Amino acid sequence: MPIKVLVVDDSALIRHILSEIVTREPALTLVGAAPDAYVAKRMVQEFKPDVITLDIEMPKVDGLRFLEVMMKAMPTPVVMISTLTERGADATLRALELGAVDFMAKPKLGVAEGMAEYAALIVEKIKAAANSTLGHPTQTRCTKHASMRYTGTEKLIGIGASTGGTEAIKDVIMHFPRNAPATIISQHMPPGFTTTYAKRLDSLCEITVKEAQGGERLLPGFAYLAPGNRHVKIERSGADYRLILDDGPKVSGHKPSVDVMFNSLAEHAGANAVGVLLTGMGRDGAAGLKHMHSRGSITFCQDEKTCVIFGMPKVAIEMGGASYVKPLEALSDAILDTLESMGAGTRL
């Protein structure tokens, strides 16, 4: 059966564009296009769509409020349609906290170039959303104030994710003690969004989270998030590691690419690194995690039950790249226990 899609946007032109994209895809069927939350509510009740594309900024009732109410009354996979601005990024991250599966930038009006790629990507996101596992919104602030008796900078953690990853990453690192080993993160996000995301993580975590600038010495107690338009790599610098930003082409269809980060950790850190692959659409990170595993790294994959999209971890597991497969809620302790066994330190 085709995936039933409801488009919700106050712009008649955006509704038309998204409706046309949905209508042209044989695997999708358009059940309605609503200009505001009131009409959308009636359409949700009447048509029971499989996926909703939802504008954040709407009159009367904004998209966030509509999403919050709907996820309690009738949980439905939602792809947010967002503006690529700081305000749009903040609202989008809030939408993901409330239970939205994924997000997509608004199409550039009047720019025909790139529309085919845009249409293909939003269709892919809608299909993935239809097969996603809706999680429970998390708004827990870290209450752990533990520390680690830590003796050096030689241990590293690499975390990669895509769809559903913003919340999964938060759930993992907000339980890291304040001087946990240096952590590098690649999450599929556009430029600008990673700046806002890093600030949000930093406000919730014991460790310091920052958007990577390049050239940093990787230090315990810090997490470095790949910018939305750069790959992250590491290089050895004496007894330490430094972070490198790479402006090369997309790898595995993404920039930043989890594969690029994991391959770099495999080559330069090997058995001193821990690799973690979380929820996400596609296969980015699977080959890189296998590379880490082959070089002596302990590697983790999030399990199917707790993934929003069991794509990237599934491929990595099938390739033999996972040392362990764990549910999301067990990953923080599993990672820290592994680091203790590696001699990274002892939790106090």
Side-chain angles (χ1 to χ4, degrees):
M1 294 290 292
I3 298 166
K4 296 184 293 182
V5 181
L6 172 63
V7 171
V8 184
D9 201 295
D10 69 320
S11 164
L13 182 54
I14 298 295
R15 288 199 307 277
H16 173 74
I17 292 172
L18 295 179
S19 295
E20 283 290 306
I21 291 171
V22 171
T23 302
R24 287 198 300 265
E25 171 56 43
L28 309 180
T29 183
L30 182 71
V31 296
D36 58 53
Y38 293 104
V39 176
K41 179 183 177 182
R42 294 197 298 270
M43 287 185 168
V44 169
Q45 293 171 338
E46 180 180 357
F47 298 115
K48 296 179 175 54
D50 300 309
V51 178
I52 298 171
T53 68
L54 178 61
D55 184 20
I56 290 178
E57 297 180 0
M58 296 190 298
K60 301 177 184 176
V61 177
D62 69 26
L64 290 179
R65 178 58 182 159
F66 173 76
L67 176 67
E68 185 174 17
V69 172
M70 187 194 68
M71 293 305 287
K72 293 175 181 176
M74 188 179 291
T76 305
V78 171
V79 177
M80 303 302 297
I81 306 299
S82 173
T83 54
L84 290 177
T85 63
E86 184 174 349
R87 179 181 173 186
D90 191 63
T92 300
L93 290 170
R94 177 58 183 152
L96 294 171
E97 288 179 350
L98 291 171
V101 172
D102 205 349
F103 67 95
M104 186 78 182
K106 283 182 177 282
K108 294 180 180 179
L109 302 180
V111 181
E113 186 177 335
M115 276 305 297
E117 183 179 352
Y118 179 91
L121 183 56
I122 197 165
V123 166
E124 184 181 21
K125 286 178 179 284
I126 290 171
K127 290 179 179 178
N131 292 295
S132 65
T133 300
L134 291 182
H136 301 286
T138 56
Q139 300 182 45
T140 307
R141 187 176 178 86
C142 182
T143 56
K144 291 188 178 181
H145 296 278
S147 183
M148 291 186 81
R149 186 182 288 116
Y150 192 72
T151 57
T153 58
E154 71 276 8
K155 307 301 182 191
L156 299 176
I157 305 168
I159 302 176
S162 185
T163 313
T166 55
E167 288 300 289
I169 289 168
K170 181 180 77 174
D171 286 352
V172 171
I173 70 170
M174 69 190 296
H175 296 293
F176 283 4
R178 62 176 62 93
N179 58 343
T183 302
I184 312 167
I185 302 168
S186 286
Q187 160 72 40
H188 296 162
M189 298 182 87
F193 277 56
T194 42
T195 304
T196 303
Y197 182 46
K199 291 177 181 176
R200 182 166 293 223
L201 289 175
D202 186 60
S203 72
L204 294 169
C205 295
E206 290 293 305
I207 60 174
T208 298
V209 184
K210 55 177 288 188
E211 186 178 49
Q213 301 297 311
E216 297 99 324
R217 178 181 173 225
L218 299 179
L219 297 172
F222 283 80
Y224 307 87
L225 178 69
N229 58 352
R230 295 289 189 276
H231 302 299
V232 286
K233 299 179 178 180
I234 64 163
E235 65 178 3
R236 192 86 195 200
S237 179
D240 302 322
Y241 298 98
R242 292 193 180 275
L243 187 143
I244 302 170
L245 294 185
D246 183 347
D247 195 23
K250 290 181 179 180
V251 175
S252 303
H254 299 282
K255 186 179 177 182
S257 164
V258 182
D259 270 330
V260 170
M261 179 183 73
F262 281 168
N263 284 328
S264 180
L265 286 167
E267 291 296 326
H268 298 286
N272 282 326
V274 172
V276 185
L277 189 57
L278 303 175
T279 173
M281 179 173 63
R283 59 186 300 122
D284 184 32
L289 197 74
K290 175 67 182 297
H291 189 190
M292 288 187 70
H293 188 267
S294 70
R295 296 297 292 265
S297 304
I298 301 299
T299 56
F300 293 90
C301 281
Q302 185 178 350
D303 74 351
E304 182 174 8
K305 184 177 180 181
T306 61
C307 278
V308 173
I309 302 287
F310 190 53
M312 290 154 47
K314 180 176 186 288
V315 178
I317 293 165
E318 290 172 347
M319 292 176 68
S323 304
Y324 302 101
V325 180
K326 299 282 186 181
L328 181 61
E329 62 271 15
L331 276 170
S332 295
D333 279 338
I335 293 164
L336 294 171
D337 288 346
T338 294
L339 287 161
E340 286 181 21
S341 71
M342 292 164 61
T346 303
R347 276 182 286 175
L348 304 176

